[in-house]
Each structure stands twice: as structure tokens, then as C-alpha cells.
Amino acid sequence: MSRHPTLSVSGLSVDYPLTSGGLFRPARTVNAVDGVTFDIAPGETLGLVGESGSGKTTVGRTILRRVPSSGGRIQFEGRDITDVDGAALRKLRARMQIVLQDPYTSLNPRMKIGDIVAEPLLVHGLAESSDAARHAVRQLLDRVGMPADAADRYPHSFSGGQRQRVGIARALALKPSLIVADEPVSALDVSVRAQVVNLMQDLQRELGISYLFIAHDLAIVRHISHRVAIMYAGRIVEIAPRNDLYDNPVHPYTEALLSAVPVANPKVQRARRRIVHTGDTVDIANPPSGCRFHPRCPLATDQCRQASPPLLVKAPGHLAACWNRGR
């Protein structure tokens, strides 16, 4: 096993400009991601969960160096890549790939599937000839379960699940060690979501890939992830092994999220307590002092309003940012 995590993120912050400022007014920024820290081991899947606007997609894009960070460090396979640019960044991106949410808009409708999957091989000079590229494409498409004639067809002739398989094949072309999967099944029919997730798990076991799996579907996240991190208003509020987090949540926000996940057994579902926190969601452009969840938290104290809680160990491998739980 590698001595280093595949990915190590420490204190990652991202600011977006709201106004450019002027002669008599300062520029304003929004702190979209604030002090995010986590590791992903080789062959591990970390699920990153949060409501819309929590910053989870920004975290993924910043790790891939598509969005500049304003603070913190990013280490990939033991190397600090926070400030890497130019040719070194281009070479690095061969090892870090992304699978996007919408499998149709992420594929060029004017290109055949074979050309789409071959493109990264040709751009990075990994195919010695067009014949070699075609052979590699056939292998990749077969690996993700696409039919033999798929290379000669266009994206519109496939279903959403098949198009996402093409997106996965394109990501695999450069033999990455990390894939950021940004809501990869949320645009698919429920009937095919499990097929795509199972494919990703099979590929992970076969190739040893690490995943950052960004999603809002807690049932899917539990199925695919080894550990789960919960984001709220730009910060990670809890991170733990999958079963520990689902069976014994610590943070009140995590409790509320999990209480909303339906259970197939009607009797169990009726007996469950739905936790609903009142109050408005946080304005990320003007966040409250202290814990960003305190305006909605039933446990909030003066300490919560004044000081932001750090991620602390509440149980072995289980960290949460809460002053009032798991002491």
C-alpha cells in the first residue's frame, strides 16, 4: 500500500468575488469553502454530502485545480499541488479525472463515442497511432459495459445511463488514481442509478481508484462510500466511517439529514422521528459568527454563537464540529 494518501486536503478555502470594489468601497467576497480538511486513501471512496450551495462541488473543482484556492494546501500522491501550473499541471491532470453530473451535456453531440473516449489519449500523447487509440477505446468501452458498435455512434443514440458509462470510460482513459464524481447519478433514472454505482465499485476493486463522490442522495452515498463527510455552509461539520455516521450521527445537522432518508419498511418509516430544524438557511455571503449552523440548531449556546467549533474526535475515526455533542 502507498505510504501516502491519494489525496490530502488541509485547511482548504475558496473565496469568490461579489463586487470589484472602487475608490471608496472595498471589494466584497463570499467565503464559499472555509477550512476544509480530509484525506482519501488509495482505493477509498469518500462521500461528500450537503445541500445545494454548501460548497461541495467547489471543493471538487478546487482539488482538480479548476478553481483557484484562497487558502490551505492540496497534496496529491504525496506531492503538494496547490500552486502547480502550466505543463506540470497538465501532466498532473492525467492522474485526476472528473465524471460530471449530466451525461449528455458533458459529451460533445457532434463527436462519435469513439472519438470522445480517444480524445484524452491523443491530447496527452498516450496513443502511438490511430489504430492503437481505436484498440484502447474498444477495451475501455467493453470495460464499462457498452456494446461493440458504440464507438461508431453519437451520444444522442444512447440512454442516460449509457452516456454516463461513456463519461466513465473517458475518465478511465488516462488511468487516473483519483476520480471526482460530481453527482454522477442524480440525472439518471432511479432504475439505472444502482447499475452505474455498481460499475464504479467494480472498477475501484479492479483498478484501485480513489473516488471523491459528491452527492445529495444519502442512500446512494451509503452504498458506495467507505467514509462520509457532511458539509454545511462551506464547512465540514462531520466526517466518519459510513456505518458509524449513519448509525450514530453526532452533529445536529447530520441527524436532520439522515432523518429525511426514507426507509422501505412502512412500519419502520412510520415509527421514525423526522427532525426538522426551523429558521432560515445561512446566507453564505453574510454568515453568522461562531458555528454557521447555530441559528437553526436546538442545542445552540452562547459559545456556539461566539466561536466556531473545530472538527474534534468524538469516537475513533469519527470527527464532528459541535461544542455540545460527544464530549
Side-chain angles (χ1 to χ4, degrees):
M1 181 177 289
S2 171
R3 294 178 300 168
H4 303 287
T6 299
L7 179 72
S8 182
V9 177
S10 178
L12 185 68
S13 297
V14 179
D15 295 335
Y16 288 123
L18 286 180
T19 62
S20 58
L23 184 60
F24 298 107
R25 66 180 184 191
R28 293 183 61 217
T29 61
V30 56
N31 185 211
V33 174
D34 184 21
V36 165
T37 297
F38 60 81
D39 293 339
I40 303 178
E44 181 187 31
T45 298
L46 176 68
L48 188 59
V49 179
E51 59 194 41
S52 296
S54 62
K56 56 189 187 296
T57 292
T58 299
V59 169
R61 289 173 61 84
T62 306
I63 288 167
L64 296 172
R65 298 292 316 283
R66 296 175 182 269
V67 171
S69 62
S70 56
R73 311 304 296 175
I74 305 167
Q75 286 192 316
F76 177 65
E77 296 184 327
R79 175 187 176 189
D80 192 324
I81 66 168
T82 312
D83 301 314
V84 172
D85 58 11
L89 178 58
R90 180 180 175 184
K91 183 177 180 180
L92 176 72
R93 281 178 171 161
R95 302 284 294 158
M96 305 168 69
Q97 292 292 299
I98 187 168
V99 175
L100 297 167
Q101 177 178 351
D102 189 335
Y104 188 72
T105 58
S106 65
L107 304 178
N108 189 334
R110 298 174 182 270
M111 294 176 66
K112 292 182 178 180
I113 295 300
D115 296 329
I116 289 172
V117 177
E119 187 175 31
L121 295 170
L122 299 173
V123 168
H124 286 269
L126 298 182
E128 297 178 355
S129 65
S130 57
D131 287 341
R134 281 193 293 270
H135 177 69
V137 167
R138 284 196 298 270
Q139 288 184 319
L140 287 164
L141 292 175
D142 179 67
R143 175 166 272 170
V144 299
M146 290 297 289
D149 65 344
D152 297 320
R153 296 159 63 186
Y154 290 92
H156 71 266
S157 64
F158 295 101
S159 67
Q162 288 176 316
R163 287 194 289 261
Q164 194 60 291
R165 289 173 184 265
V166 173
I168 293 170
R170 179 176 57 184
L172 292 176
L174 299 178
K175 300 180 179 178
S177 57
L178 172 70
I179 291 179
V180 174
D182 189 2
E183 301 273 10
V185 297
S186 64
L188 305 180
D189 292 340
V190 174
S191 59
V192 299
R193 290 182 183 181
Q195 297 175 22
V196 173
V197 168
N198 289 338
L199 170 64
M200 294 180 67
Q201 288 181 306
D202 291 341
L203 291 169
Q204 184 176 59
R205 286 189 288 267
E206 184 180 342
L207 303 173
I209 304 168
S210 300
Y211 293 130
L212 176 63
F213 192 91
I214 300 169
H216 62 269
D217 187 327
L218 286 157
I220 290 291
V221 169
R222 182 168 195 173
H223 180 70
I224 194 172
S225 302
H226 299 97
R227 290 185 301 132
V228 180
I230 306 294
M231 282 196 75
Y232 182 78
R235 294 176 179 171
I236 289 181
V237 297
E238 189 162 359
I239 184 168
R242 171 188 60 200
N243 291 335
D244 289 350
L245 185 132
Y246 279 76
D247 296 339
N248 299 293
V250 171
H251 199 280
Y253 177 65
T254 307
E255 280 187 327
L257 283 181
L258 294 177
S259 76
V261 179
V263 175
N265 188 318
K267 291 183 179 179
V268 175
Q269 178 65 19
R270 284 194 294 270
R272 296 175 75 227
R273 182 171 68 97
R274 176 73 168 91
I275 301 173
V276 179
H277 294 309
T278 59
D280 296 330
T281 57
V282 65
D283 178 4
I284 196 67
N286 187 30
S289 60
C291 176
R292 293 186 175 183
F293 189 63
H294 85 252
R296 302 171 63 192
C297 183
L299 305 178
T301 63
D302 287 341
Q303 184 182 26
C304 303
R305 299 180 186 95
Q306 295 168 7
S308 176
L311 272 173
L312 298 176
V313 176
K314 306 295 184 176
H318 195 146
L319 288 77
C322 183
W323 292 119
N324 302 309
R325 284 281 181 82
R327 294 183 181 230

